[in-house]
Amino acid sequence: LGLVSFYFLRSLSNPFLRSVPEIAAVIEYPVLGWSKIEPVSDPKSLSAIVASMDRLRLSWRTTLAEEKKIIVVTSSTRGDGEHVAAAAFALSLAKSASKVLLLDASCDEGISRLFNLPPGPGLYDYLASGNPDLLTKIIRDVPVQENLKVIPAGAKPANSGRLESSHYDSLISQLSTESNFVIIATDALNISLDALALLKPGVHLLLVAKLNHSLKESLRLAASELTHQKIASSCIYLFGANNGAAIDHLPRPVHENNTEGLQEPTAVW
C-alpha cells in the first residue's frame, strides 16, 4: 500500500503530461498523428517526421474538405515541437501535389532555421511597411519541395497586434487564393496568445503536444482559451509517443498498417 501511495502522490506532483489519457482528461481533441522522434530543429530530422505526418494528413482529410484551407499550428508549452510539426505537415501536404504556403508568425525564426533560409525580410516587415510590392520578396522557394513556399517571420515588432489588423487579413485572403493550404506556425500559447488571434471562423487548428514536456497546467489554460474559438476543426499531433502503452491509446489513422502502399489522391486530397 505504501508503494502504491508513493506512485500515486508522485503522479499528482508531476507537472508534465505523461500519457494520452492525461491529454484526453484535459482537452477533447483527437490525437490523429504521433512520432517517436525528438522534434529537433534540424533539416535532416524532418524527413522521418514527414512520414508520420502522412498518417495525420490521411486521417484529417475528410474534415478538411473545403477548397481553401488555413491551418494554425501551435502548442501549449514552448518547445513542444510546434515549428517542426508545422514544417513537416507542410512538406507532407506539398508532396501530395497540393500547393502549400508555410507562414511563420512566431518570434524566433524557427521555420527559417529548419529550411536554412538566408536572412531577409519576412511577414512582420511586410505588415509594417504596408507595401504590396514587398510580398514577392518575402515569399521563398524551398528547394526540397517544389510545391511548398515559405514566408519567414522577419523582424517581429514589440507589439504583435499587426496579426489582428486588416492588412494581415488581406494578406491571408490573397495567399489562400493562390494555395491549397496556408499553414501558419505560431509561438506556444504559454508565451504568446497570437495563435488565438489567428483562429478565426473557418480556420483549422493543429495543436502540438510532447509527452514528458508539455505542462499540464499550460494545456489546461490553452483548453480554456480555445473553447471560445469558433474554429472549423482541431486535432493533436503528439511527439514522444515512444512506448507501446502510449501508442495503444491513440486512435488508429487510416492506412496506418500499410503506409508503404499509400495511394495519393489525384485531387487536392
Side-chain angles (χ1 to χ4, degrees):
L1 181 61
L3 188 60
V4 173
S5 299
F6 168 76
Y7 281 111
F8 176 71
L9 291 173
R10 190 178 71 168
S11 68
L12 291 178
S13 63
N14 193 320
F16 303 106
L17 290 168
R18 299 179 303 154
S19 67
V20 173
E22 286 187 351
I23 296 175
V26 177
I27 191 167
E28 296 181 354
Y29 288 1
V31 178
L32 295 186
W34 61 89
S35 174
K36 301 178 183 180
I37 301 170
E38 189 74 10
V40 180
S41 295
D42 179 349
K44 294 181 180 179
S45 70
L46 274 181
S47 58
I49 297 174
V50 170
S52 68
M53 284 293 180
D54 291 344
R55 295 196 295 259
L56 169 63
R57 172 170 53 82
L58 291 169
S59 299
W60 209 7
R61 65 179 177 177
T62 55
T63 302
L64 300 173
E66 67 272 18
E67 291 184 2
K68 301 299 178 183
K69 307 161 190 74
I70 301 171
I71 303 170
V72 171
V73 182
T74 189
S75 70
S76 66
T77 307
R78 186 175 188 177
D80 278 347
E82 53 274 10
H83 293 97
V84 176
F89 193 41
L91 284 167
S92 175
L93 290 166
K95 76 176 189 177
S96 73
S98 299
K99 292 182 179 180
V100 182
L101 191 288
L102 175 58
L103 178 67
D104 191 354
S106 68
C107 65
D108 65 357
E109 293 280 5
I111 298 300
S112 293
R113 290 195 300 274
L114 280 167
F115 290 106
N116 288 324
L117 298 179
L123 169 65
Y124 291 103
D125 302 286
Y126 174 80
L127 294 178
S129 72
N131 180 5
D133 295 334
L134 186 59
L135 182 58
T136 57
K137 297 180 181 179
I138 65 174
I139 298 178
R140 315 284 186 89
D141 293 321
V142 177
V144 296
Q145 179 51 253
E146 63 179 357
N147 290 326
L148 175 62
K149 296 184 182 298
V150 173
I151 295 181
K156 186 171 184 179
N159 181 0
S160 60
R162 290 192 176 94
L163 292 177
E164 302 179 60
S165 67
S166 59
H167 195 29
Y168 170 83
D169 291 340
S170 298
L171 171 64
I172 295 300
S173 178
Q174 179 179 346
L175 295 175
S176 64
T177 62
E178 300 169 355
S179 307
N180 300 119
F181 295 91
V182 176
I183 310 295
I184 307 173
T186 70
D187 291 312
L189 291 169
N190 70 334
I191 64 168
S192 171
L193 296 180
D194 283 351
L196 298 180
L198 306 182
L199 289 172
K200 301 182 178 182
V203 172
H204 302 270
L205 170 64
L206 177 57
L207 185 65
V208 182
K210 182 180 176 184
L211 293 184
N212 298 309
H213 182 274
S214 298
L215 294 168
K216 295 177 185 177
E217 186 58 27
S218 292
L219 186 59
R220 288 191 188 97
L221 292 173
S224 175
E225 292 288 347
L226 291 169
T227 57
H228 305 295
Q229 306 299 315
K230 296 180 180 180
I231 52 182
S233 71
S234 56
C235 70
I236 291 175
Y237 183 85
L238 181 64
F239 283 110
N242 56 2
N243 62 75
I247 296 174
D248 285 344
H249 285 96
L250 299 174
R252 298 302 184 186
V254 179
H255 304 302
E256 182 219 353
N257 296 319
N258 185 27
T259 55
E260 294 298 326
L262 292 180
Q263 297 296 316
E264 296 292 355
T266 55
V268 173
W269 279 97

